[in-house]
């Protein structure tokens, strides 16, 4: 059932893709074909395609989450620490909120500060609900808001190449698996 839902979300995202002016320069399965404006924790709004050119881990979260999202951040920090300096300098991490109603720029800034995230390599961002749903579908992330305004969501970390192709996925609830780390390091060494 979960796989069927992921496939439906992926199909919906692909059908709803709004090509960018330069979409043809990206592979057909690139996340950078999504014309999504992201507003980062520094207040700047940048189109998702402008983030191409760097190896990136992309995940989805929400700032007021008190359990799973902090664990995801810690898993990413642990992975980051396990890289050598050269690998680390080539990696960017993008976390996109699934809660744009509450995750203001200020909320994103506060979360980045709380977890001491390096703003030169970590981007916490928000978008509108429609665009979030498109990106989630492409990444295979499932989420739904509960009556208490919290979210039930998957904790997928997605490794994307410089041109936005999905290389690997892992579930951060189980820590970072060695296969994902190896794929990340191999991709970083190719850069």
């Amino acid at each position: 059932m979960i796989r069927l839902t992921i496939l439906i979300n992926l199909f919906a995202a692909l059908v709803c893709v709004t090509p960018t002016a330069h979409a043809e320069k990206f592979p057909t399965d690139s996340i950078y074909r999504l014309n999504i404006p992201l507003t980062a924790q520094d207040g700047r709004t940048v189109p998702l395609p402008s983030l191409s050119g760097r190896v990136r881990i992309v995940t989805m979260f929400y700032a007021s989450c008190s359990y799973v999202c902090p664990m995801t951040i810690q898993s990413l920090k642990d992975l980051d620490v396990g890289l050598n300096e050269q690998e680390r300098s080539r990696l960017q991490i993008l976390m996109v909120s699934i809660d744009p109603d509450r995750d203001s720029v200020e909320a994103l800034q506060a979360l980045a500060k709380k977890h001491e995230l390096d703003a030169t390599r970590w981007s916490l961002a928000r978008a509108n609900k429609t665009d979030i749903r498109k990106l989630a579908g492409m990444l295979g992330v499932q989420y739904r808001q509960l009556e208490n305004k919290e979210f039930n969501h998957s904790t997928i970390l997605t490794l994307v190449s410089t041109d936005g192709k999905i290389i690997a996925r892992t579930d951060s609830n189980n820590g970072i698996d060695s296969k994902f780390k190896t794929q990340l390091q191999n991709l970083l060494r190719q850069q």
Side-chain angles (χ1 to χ4, degrees), residues 70-80 157 172-173 175-176:
M71 287 175 35
T72 298
I73 292 170
Q74 190 58 53
S75 290
L76 285 164
K77 288 175 81 171
D78 292 345
L79 175 64
D80 197 43
L157 303 179
S172 72
N173 275 340
I176 304 299

Side-chain angles (χ1 to χ4, degrees), residues 86-164:
Q86 188 176 40
E87 292 167 339
R88 197 175 304 114
S89 71
R90 294 177 177 163
L91 176 64
Q92 296 285 307
I93 297 170
L94 172 64
M95 299 180 65
V96 179
S97 172
I98 57 175
D99 189 7
D101 293 338
R102 293 186 291 179
D103 285 351
S104 63
V105 167
E106 294 78 18
L108 299 176
Q109 287 172 349
L111 186 69
K113 183 177 180 178
K114 176 182 177 180
H115 290 279
E116 300 176 343
L117 304 178
D118 177 358
T120 64
R121 298 184 37 254
W122 290 66
S123 296
L124 279 60
R126 60 188 309 276
N128 70 47
K129 289 181 180 182
T130 301
D131 289 339
I132 292 165
R133 193 57 76 184
K134 290 177 188 178
L135 182 59
M138 194 139 197
L139 297 174
V141 172
Q142 297 179 20
Y143 67 94
R144 67 183 174 96
Q145 191 165 26
L146 305 173
E147 287 182 26
N148 65 1
K149 303 296 183 194
E150 297 299 312
F151 285 84
N152 184 352
H153 64 98
S154 53
T155 57
I156 305 296
L157 303 179
T158 305
L159 174 61
V160 295
S161 64
T162 58
D163 60 0

